[in-house]
Amino acid sequence: MSIIKVNNLSKSFGGVKAVSHINMAIDGGEIIGIIGPNGAGKTTFFNLLTGIYSPTSGEVIYNLDKEVSSKSFKPHKMTGYGVARTFQNIRLFKNMSIIDNVLLGYHNNMSYGLLSSLFRLPSFYKNETKAYDEALKLLEIFNLLDKKDELASNLPYGEQRKVEIARALAAKPKLLLLDEPAAGMNPNETKELTTLINWIKDEFKLTIILIEHDMSLVMGICSKVFVFDYGTLIASGTPNEVQNNEQVIKAYLGGE
Amino acid sequence: AQSTSNVASNVPETIKVGLNYELSGGVATYGQSLTSGVELAVEEINKNGGVLGKQLELVKVDNKSDNAEAANVSSRLATRDKVVAILGAATSGNTKAASPAANENKVPLISASATADDVTVDSNGKVREYVFKTCFSDSFQGVTMANFAFNDLNLKNAAVLVDNTSDYSKGLAKNFKETFTKLGGNVLTEEAYQAKDTDYKAVLTNMKAKNPDVLYVPGYYEEVGLIVKQARELGLNVTVLGGDGYDSPKLLEIAGAEALNKVYYTNHYSSMDNAPDVVKFKEAFNAKYSKDADAFNALGYDLAYFLADALERAGVADSVKLKDALASTNGFKGITGTLSVDEFHNPVKAVTILQVVDGNPTFLKKLEP
Amino acid sequence: MKLFNKKNILSFLAVLIIYAIAGFFINTGFIDSYIFLNIVLIGINIILAVSLNLITGFTGQFSLGHAAFMSIGAYTAGILTAKLDQPFWIGIAGAALFASFAGIIIGIPTLRLKGDYLAIATLGFAEIVKIIGLNTEYIGGATGLNDIPRYTTWTWLYFCVVATVLFISNFVKSYKGRACIAIGEDEIAAEAMGVNTTYYKVLAFTLGAFFAGIAGALYANYFYFLKPDSFGFMKSIDILVIVVFGGMGSIKGSIAGAILLSVISLFLQGIPELRMVVYSLILFLIMVYRPQGIMGKSDFKFFKKRGVVNVYHQSK
Amino acid sequence: MLELQNLNVYYGAIHALRNVNLKINQGEIVTLIGANGAGKTTTLRTISGIEKAKTGKILYNGQGLDSYSASHIVKLGISHVPEGRRVFSTMSVFENLEMGAFTRNDKSQIKKDLENVFSLFPRLLERKDQYAGTLSGGEQQMLAIGRALLSRPKLLLLDEPSMGLAPIIVKEIFAIIKDINKNGTTILLVEQNANMALQCANRAYIIKNGEIDIEGDAKDLMNDENVKNAYLGG
Amino acid sequence: MHLGKLFLNASLNFDWGDKMEQLIQQFVNGVSLGSIYALIALGYTMVYGIIKLINFAHGDIYMIGAYIGFALTTFLHVGFFPALIISMLLCALLGVLIEKVAYKPVRNSTRIAALITAISVSLFLEYGMMYFVKAETRTFPELLPNKQISILNTNAVLDIKNLYIIFVTISLMLILQYIIYKTKVGKSMRAVSLDRDAAQLMGIDMNKTISYTFAIGSALAGAAGVLVGTYYNSINPLMGVVPGLKAFVAAVIGGIGIIPGAVLGGFFLGMTETMVSAFGGSLYKDAVAFAVLILVLLAKPNGLLGRNIKEKV
Ligand SMILES: Nc1ncnc2c1ncn2[C@@H]1O[C@H](COP(=O)(O)OP(=O)(O)OP(=O)(O)O)[C@@H](O)[C@H]1O
Ligand SMILES: Nc1ncnc2c1ncn2[C@@H]1O[C@H](COP(=O)(O)OP(=O)(O)OP(=O)(O)O)[C@@H](O)[C@H]1O
Ligand SMILES: [Mg+2]
Ligand SMILES: [Mg+2]
């Protein structure tokens, strides 16, 4: 059964049709790639999936825990629905430490009230300790444990991307959206990241949708790829199928 | 050289007097003016041999036109500087805020300009033992002007324009209205402005539409000058009445002589007065500060002499004795009039009504309390 | 990580010991009324600065209207204790409640306004509160509210300050506080991580106002006289100056800032004519040489100390 | 043409560049590659005068650049496409390009160059009047390069021009870089995409932890086993 | 009883001509007050637009401008226009100096630190000035013809001086708008305002651009000081506080950073205050003005002319 259904989704800004009439259905447990030329509407599509924009027409339906439609999307409700994301332009809390960035990911999984936080009742300690321990584990996975107290802004780009992914994982999503996770990484780092993403998917039992321009990453781990151009879907299929699609080569990959 | 410090402590002591005035902040003008007056008088007193054979030493502190700071300064003067009395503050509010520290430390606090009725008396009608004032209470000026307008000028339809940030202005207006209506006059409208406003045309246009024959505008010369000027520009040429806040050469400068025709106000004295003390004061003031004195300068000047007089009568520079001497003041003669202190620590003093003629405030009438 | 760890117990003892020693000095008159008055002022300023820090320093909501919350608290306490003859604790509770209610109201524009626009809206709110005060005869209007009983004692003052500092620092070190800080850093990212920014912004204003209201109550029942224009725009600026001077997002900084600025102000009393000129120069020099404030999170070392959660995690 | 001698740059306590020596000859494409945080961006920012070196010298045609402001350095013919695009977000695409020609006064020539940029990046022509801030990431990158070209630089500093771009555009951009170079512009290229960078460059420097680690002919480095393992993804 | 009296009054004096006239007069009052806010707001908004600094000292530069005008006309007997020009020049110089000494060192600090610096400059100017000239009010000599003209042959009048102010405000607005959008200096200002590093990489001299900004902004404040000083004819060291705040509010209402917005906001604020007074609310004039401000912002969070550009994520 598909966990995401996108029905005839469109979004325009003034005259620009950033996303237009997209239909797709995605099954759980996969890594899905979204590629397409610059300005094709990929990021906009993510923003529609996470409630940052509301569709001009059409609808997104999640079936992660329970069924929710994009009509009730609000950015802050998405983690509650099981959806977490990273941003194309890294959006870390720059003046917070790495560990605090990750701890923030646990926001929706904390369960103590205002009084507990003011008076430090036992539930405060219980929740915070648990979150803290889990956060440490996440940082360990990303090899960032020794930097846990550094300010996010002091980290190099590549590591900031990792922190962003760790923060998203902390929200315990079922669906993880990554917007160009390998941007600004050299081929070597990209290779590491590819392995990591694959591992994360299995470890956390996630569905991952990622936007990426680095074909080595896309071809390496995606089981299915959707290709956007001018807001529409021009192709979809396995990486191989897509790679050999005439239209895709012409619009996106470029010939040799 | 070793012994200088010893010698220094043996020189004849001075008598310390604290000044708790608004030298910065919103009402710095008034605080600074009062301070100038006090300083001139103290200079004269010291030149003439001081008080009780000692020189007066002023400890001047700024209360920033702020309640808490006024209390703070008051406490500092009483406990740290050990002054025999505190002069100030300029406004009623700051004086009230300064008074608990004065009472607590038993140091008299004397204001020359805190006109509110409840400065010296608390809400239960009990007098505040160490607090005195030397200026009229609001009720007095408001009532006097209402009587004068209704009976002497024969004006029946008043419009009132009040500074709603100023307790002084509100106090005068309230008493004026009560008396004026009691006498049978009509208060057609009451409008408000805020201190530091510069444009009054909207309210004046409203007032004009009501066709009053007199405007009562209790306030200070800075605003009143502009109000009168703008009223005339709008063709509102009726009589304007006010209080001692008008007394300043600036009023003429701002409004211009022509606009000031038909302006009357209550005051402590007439600066056109030819009484020798007044002339002497005006000349001395002009010599020291190269400008003409206004009411605040004169009140500050008198305040210092008032204190000196009480100190002499107390016989020693002791604040408790001084308090008693202040309370029993009877017929102190200052340039702003002769005053006695009543049981509520308020002054009993005559009020003068002045009329502005060709820009000059001219003596019209004096009313004994 | 427990409530009864060594550090917490030591802090608790320190709090009591400071209380007892200072109390002793005050009762014996060693600390005279002048010093005590300044201690009261410092205490009130600490509460104001720490509570504004929650709104502006931590949550990043630029407020120029903090004095309004204080004034609502002060008048509420004034009315309750002077006019209705209620005991002080009711005055304080009423002050805190009314002020936090105002906090909810002013919190609402924050849902739509950002940065300087929010600042000017809060400033406008504070002016409105002031003008309503000026025109309300029941509380004396421009004449002010007089003869408020002097209930603010060392005990009340001290424990109100301690409670404010404790609650606000507990709050910012909880996940709710972390959410507030995140909003200050990047609202969109915070939202994406599940933070209901609307709720937390209003919460920050409400909590901040709650404590500012308490500061108002202490003020009213110490200075015995209230006037609406004591709580004008400049008062709000004064509080903001303490916060920035101490360091945005640093509670210790706010405390240090309140103390230092009060002491500076005392020294400046001695030079009345140049007081404000010198004060402005001092402000300027500090902003140039330490723009992040005396305890600002300028560098890594400071941040580690401030580390939002780490403080107690390290002690576990 | 450009020579960095023993350059040391600090951010507060962080020692970002350590004794960096680097040389670019007239007409070359030189590439600077290295891991995240190695100091590539810092090198470029120091050349263009936004950061100031603590010690060391930058010589441009034999002339020391240290005392010049960033704006003056542009006038000397060094143009910098910064990391992260940095387009003027609430100016239109067209106005952004105009800003690129800020130091120039030859109106007709500017017009020609504008047309040239539009033919290089047709997408920019389509979006001519849109606010630059609402462009997609790739569109912004095109705009940033186009903007730099309009200052008619003698030396062009490019900071990760391929970041976030579609493969087809990346190819195009590298082709354009070569084109620009052929037309006489010397180029210093900072890239993560080391494969492509080395293919198009004459010489290369590899920077590691703020120090120049390896330098040499681009073709040689491409075949170097160490380099391959560390930077080219094996 | 009140109602009855009111009714009686109304029916006796019922005269549409009177009412109309009153309304016209209030409208004129609103425009004239608004023009003053607008004039001061222009410089405020321009400096804000370029360097995103709430220049709290703007009102105080306006005050200094007024004092320069006062000194020139009173002691040196300079005429109105020369005084205006000299005051603008000196204020421009002062503005540049303030920027170099005070704001430049905090350019890379947080905006709030810059704000506190601006407040310190403001206090310094106010109390430095007060130290030298004392707190008392000074009065300008009559420089401009003190003449009222009647509007549409009614008793409603307009002060000639107001025409000057309105004229100067509108022309300055147009000039500024031209400078910012059409000239090279203006373009460099906008570039600096958007991204300082990138602007420098275009060859823009950032320091020079910021200096120009302050020079122009402060010259505008100086002009306002002289004009408004002669209009109300009384000045004092704290005269800049309230108009500075009001001008800031006006600029925000219009959309801070937007030149025509400042003028619109100024007129809007002046008109609001006047109309509140006109309809009997003088006690609450400022409160209503601020309430309107908040309502405007709630409806248009970036001011009347501000465009709501959502951050692209
Ligand atoms: N807020 C907005 N206002 C106006 N236009 C927008 C806005 N957001 C996006 N667009 C336009 O919509 C189109 C799609 O943008 P989007 O960011 O989704 O592209 P993308 O596929 O993510 O490209 P890239 O790979 O370069 O990041 C672009 O042409 C962009 O200019
Ligand atoms: N403004 C700054 N303040 C403090 N440290 C900085 C600053 N900019 C860079 N650094 C530090 O200087 C070092 C070099 O950074 P630089 O940006 O030059 O690296 P880079 O090679 O361009 O990396 P990337 O590939 O991620 O762009 C890094 O450790 C970085 O954290
Ligand atoms: Mg994108
Ligand atoms: Mg870089």
Side-chain angles (χ1 to χ4, degrees), chain B residues 25 191 197 199 206 253 291, chain E residues 127 136 139 232 277 282 285:
Chain B
E191 297 276 354
D197 274 354
D199 205 295
N206 272 0
E253 285 179 35
K291 64 184 175 201
Chain E
Y127 289 100
E136 72 194 64
T139 47
Y232 291 125
S277 293
S282 61
K285 173 189 63 163

Side-chain angles (χ1 to χ4, degrees), chain A residues 10-153:
Chain A
S10 301
K11 175 77 190 173
S12 24
F13 300 101
V16 181
K17 278 195 173 162
V19 166
S20 106
H21 305 291
I22 302 283
N23 287 292
M24 59 173 79
I26 293 170
D27 295 335
E30 288 183 279
I31 300 183
I32 309 292
I34 292 185
I35 60 174
N38 297 110
K42 306 179 295 295
T43 300
T44 308
F45 180 61
F46 265 25
N47 288 340
L48 289 166
L49 290 185
T50 52
I52 288 182
Y53 296 148
S54 49
T56 314
S57 66
E59 188 180 26
V60 179
I61 296 170
Y62 287 131
N63 214 332
L64 298 160
D65 292 321
K66 53 178 192 274
E67 205 175 273
V68 267
S69 138
S70 50
K71 294 200 179 70
S72 58
F73 285 5
K74 284 263 162 47
H76 70 267
K77 287 187 177 160
M78 300 317 291
T79 53
Y81 298 154
V83 182
R85 71 173 289 178
T86 65
F87 293 91
Q88 182 170 0
N89 309 307
I90 300 177
R91 282 180 170 271
L92 284 176
F93 307 115
K94 293 204 173 73
N95 294 310
M96 288 167 81
S97 63
I98 301 305
I99 182 89
D100 281 346
N101 264 280
V102 176
L103 279 172
L104 197 89
Y106 290 102
H107 187 81
N108 272 359
N109 293 313
M110 295 288 206
S111 56
Y112 61 90
L114 185 59
L115 286 185
S116 294
S117 65
L118 293 178
F119 290 93
R120 296 222 164 157
L121 302 179
S123 64
F124 165 84
Y125 288 99
K126 208 178 94 205
N127 274 281
E128 289 288 341
T129 318
K130 185 159 158 269
Y132 190 75
D133 291 341
E134 287 183 21
L136 289 185
K137 272 190 209 123
L138 269 178
L139 287 181
E140 205 167 353
I141 292 172
F142 286 91
N143 220 346
L144 287 166
L145 203 51
D146 51 331
K147 301 206 170 162
K148 72 176 167 52
D149 295 320
E150 289 212 35
L151 292 191
S153 58

Side-chain angles (χ1 to χ4, degrees), chain D residues 74-141:
Chain D
V74 180
K75 288 182 194 137
L76 297 177
I78 300 182
S79 193
H80 180 168
V81 179
E83 183 176 53
R85 298 129 191 176
R86 309 292 282 269
V87 295
F88 299 115
S89 60
T90 55
M91 288 190 187
S92 68
V93 167
F94 191 79
E95 283 177 305
N96 265 276
L97 292 172
E98 276 186 335
M99 291 313 299
F102 186 80
T103 51
R104 295 170 58 185
N105 287 315
D106 44 343
K107 280 225 172 79
S108 57
Q109 215 35 62
I110 292 176
K111 211 172 157 216
K112 252 190 217 151
D113 288 354
L114 262 172
E115 275 161 17
N116 205 10
V117 167
F118 282 137
S119 65
L120 279 176
F121 305 109
R123 177 64 68 110
L124 293 185
L125 188 59
E126 284 171 40
R127 301 252 183 267
K128 185 159 84 63
D129 298 316
Q130 188 173 330
Y131 275 147
T134 61
L135 292 178
S136 81
E139 291 163 347
Q140 290 187 9
Q141 186 70 59

Side-chain angles (χ1 to χ4, degrees), chain D residues 36-37 39-42 83 159-160 190 192:
Chain D
N36 276 304
K40 306 180 294 291
T41 299
T42 308
E83 183 176 53
D159 199 346
E160 304 200 26
V190 163
Q192 287 288 6

Side-chain angles (χ1 to χ4, degrees), chain C residues 277-290:
Chain C
V277 178
V278 175
Y279 174 74
S280 65
L281 286 176
I282 293 174
L283 265 194
F284 165 66
L285 290 176
I286 288 168
M287 284 306 113
V288 171
Y289 289 104
R290 243 195 118 66

Side-chain angles (χ1 to χ4, degrees), chain D residues 15-81:
Chain D
H15 195 170
L17 294 186
R18 304 160 190 262
N19 286 322
V20 168
N21 285 295
L22 189 146
K23 206 167 160 179
I24 303 166
N25 301 315
Q26 180 90 42
E28 271 188 319
I29 300 182
V30 174
T31 181
L32 178 63
I33 52 187
N36 276 304
K40 306 180 294 291
T41 299
T42 308
T43 309
L44 295 197
R45 286 170 67 88
T46 313
I47 296 173
S48 60
I50 295 175
E51 304 296 342
K52 289 289 167 207
K54 191 154 189 189
T55 61
K57 260 208 176 108
I58 306 175
L59 294 177
Y60 176 64
N61 294 330
Q63 179 186 12
L65 288 186
D66 325 67
S67 59
Y68 290 132
S69 66
S71 56
H72 193 91
I73 289 172
V74 180
K75 288 182 194 137
L76 297 177
I78 300 182
S79 193
H80 180 168
V81 179

